[in-house]
Amino acid sequence: MGLLAAALTALFPLDVFHATELHTDVLMTAAFAGAFWLVLLDRPWASLAAGMAAGYGQLSKEAGFFIILALAGWLLFQRDRRPGRLLILVGFAIVLGVETSVLWIKTGDPFFKYRAAGAVQSHIFESEFFPDAGSKVRRLFWDLPSTLFNPLDTQFKLIGLSGYAVLAGAAFALKRKLPGAAGIAVMTLVMVAAINFWPVRIVPYVPAFVLFPRVLAPLFVPGFLLVALAGSALWESRRRAALVAGGLLLVGQLFWIQVNHSRAAVYREHSERAFEFLKAAPRAPVFTDRFTVAKMEVFDGYRKSLDLRDF
C-alpha cells in the first residue's frame, strides 16, 4: 500500500509542476507525511518525533499548525488515548516553545510571526482577493470543489484526476469498511475544513488562505493513502478492475502533466520576451504586480537592471 501511495504522489500533477521550486508548502506537506508515518510506528520515541515533525511543519508555514489538528482528529477517532500519545503534544510543544522564545527575545512578541502574517494577509486578501461578501462566499463554498472537480477551472490542471481518485477511493474504502479507512478519512476532512475555513480575522471574517493549488498539497497525504488502501483491496478481489482503474488514472495524470508542461513552456517564452523588451527599452519605472516583479527579477539574475515596482 505504501508503494502505491508513493506512486500516486510521484504522478501528482501539482508536485510534478512544482518539482523545480521549493515552496514552503512542500516542506509542510513532507512534515505532515513524516509525522503520520511516525505516529503509525506506535513507539514512545516515534510519538515524540511525530510531534516535533508537526512542529517543524508549522515552522515552515503557518498552516502547518493544522498538522497537529489532523493527527489529533485521527487519534480521537481511533479512540487511542494512551498516555504515551501525549508525547506527540510534548514534541510539538518543544518546537513551538523554541520558536516563540526566539521571537520573544528578538521582537518582544512570542507570536510575532502569526500577528505579522495575519496583518499582511488580511490587508492583501481584503484588497485583492476578497473585497466584498460575494467573493468571500465564493471562496468558502465554490473555489475548493471547483479546483478539485471542475475541468473547466483554470487550476484543475494542477490537480488532475487526483480529486476524483480520492473521492472514489474514500467511497470504496468506507463502503467496504476497510481497516483504518474511516480514521484516514477523518484526518482528510480535518485538513479540508482547516485550510478552507480557517480565518485570518474573525470580525469581519477574512479567510486565511487563497486556494492556490499548492496550498492543497497536504490534503493529498491522507487522500492518496485512501486511494492506495482502496486500490490494494480492489487488487485482492478484482484484479482486472484494478488494472483498468489504475490504467485510466495513470493516463489521465500523464495527460494533465503534459498540459501543465506545454502551458508552462509557452508562459515562460512570453515572460522572457517581456523581459527582453523591458531590458532593451530606456530605463524607467515599470509598475506591475508582485508576482511579475519576482519573475522578471529571476530573469535579470537579481542585478536590478530593471526598475520594477510592485503597485
Side-chain angles (χ1 to χ4, degrees):
M1 188 184 82
L3 288 176
L4 181 54
L8 290 166
T9 304
L11 290 170
F12 188 24
L14 178 68
D15 286 346
V16 175
F17 184 77
H18 287 304
T20 58
E21 302 177 13
L22 187 59
H23 289 288
T24 52
D25 307 86
V26 176
L27 300 175
M28 180 182 66
T29 303
F32 186 15
F36 187 53
W37 174 71
L38 287 164
V39 168
L40 292 177
L41 293 181
D42 198 14
R43 302 285 173 81
W45 68 265
S47 293
L48 181 66
M52 297 183 75
Y56 173 77
Q58 71 83 30
L59 278 180
S60 60
K61 187 166 185 173
E62 292 79 6
F65 194 85
F66 303 147
I67 297 174
I68 202 71
L69 299 180
L71 294 178
W74 184 79
L75 289 170
L76 290 173
F77 186 85
Q78 298 292 110
R79 297 183 179 179
D80 188 348
R81 301 186 179 94
R82 289 172 293 168
R85 290 303 197 184
L86 291 175
L87 288 172
I88 298 174
L89 293 178
V90 172
F92 184 78
I94 289 173
V95 178
L96 186 64
V98 171
E99 179 196 27
T100 53
S101 297
V102 171
L103 289 174
W104 194 3
I105 293 171
K106 295 290 186 179
T107 70
D109 182 356
F111 302 105
F112 173 81
K113 179 179 74 172
Y114 299 96
R115 298 187 201 281
V120 172
Q121 290 188 176
S122 179
H123 171 71
I124 293 175
F125 288 0
E126 280 195 298
S127 61
E128 291 188 33
F129 298 105
F130 313 124
D132 51 43
S135 61
K136 293 177 184 177
V137 171
R138 178 184 174 85
R139 159 62 183 78
L140 292 175
F141 300 105
W142 172 253
D143 284 0
L144 181 58
S146 180
T147 298
L148 294 177
F149 304 114
N150 180 12
L152 299 179
D153 192 299
T154 57
Q155 301 195 111
F156 176 86
K157 62 183 182 293
L158 289 169
I159 302 299
L161 299 184
S162 305
Y164 285 105
V166 172
L167 193 63
F172 181 89
L174 294 174
K175 184 178 180 180
R176 292 287 187 92
K177 297 182 179 179
L178 299 179
I184 297 175
V186 167
M187 187 162 58
T188 306
L189 290 175
V190 169
M191 290 298 288
V192 168
I195 290 176
N196 196 54
F197 296 108
W198 194 272
V200 71
R201 195 172 66 200
I202 297 177
V203 181
Y205 180 84
V206 178
F209 303 101
V210 176
L211 288 183
F212 297 122
R214 57 184 171 79
V215 175
L216 304 179
L219 302 182
F220 292 93
V221 172
F224 285 147
L225 286 175
L226 280 173
V227 179
L229 189 64
S232 299
L234 185 61
W235 177 259
E236 293 296 327
S237 59
R238 301 178 62 186
R239 295 199 172 186
R240 184 173 297 179
L243 286 172
V244 171
L248 290 174
L249 180 59
L250 173 62
V251 171
Q253 295 295 67
L254 290 176
F255 168 77
W256 288 109
I257 288 172
Q258 177 57 33
V259 168
N260 292 327
H261 176 74
S262 59
R263 292 188 178 184
V266 171
Y267 181 72
R268 180 181 178 87
E269 180 183 355
H270 291 171
S271 298
E272 288 178 336
R273 288 181 180 179
F275 169 71
E276 293 299 331
F277 172 80
L278 293 174
K279 189 175 180 181
R283 183 180 174 87
V286 177
F287 294 88
T288 183
D289 63 278
R290 63 183 184 280
F291 301 111
T292 302
V293 169
K295 290 180 178 67
M296 293 297 105
E297 286 180 343
V298 169
F299 288 130
D300 192 33
Y302 299 97
R303 290 188 293 271
K304 301 294 184 181
S305 58
L306 300 179
D307 187 4
L308 300 168
R309 303 185 186 184
D310 175 9
F311 56 64

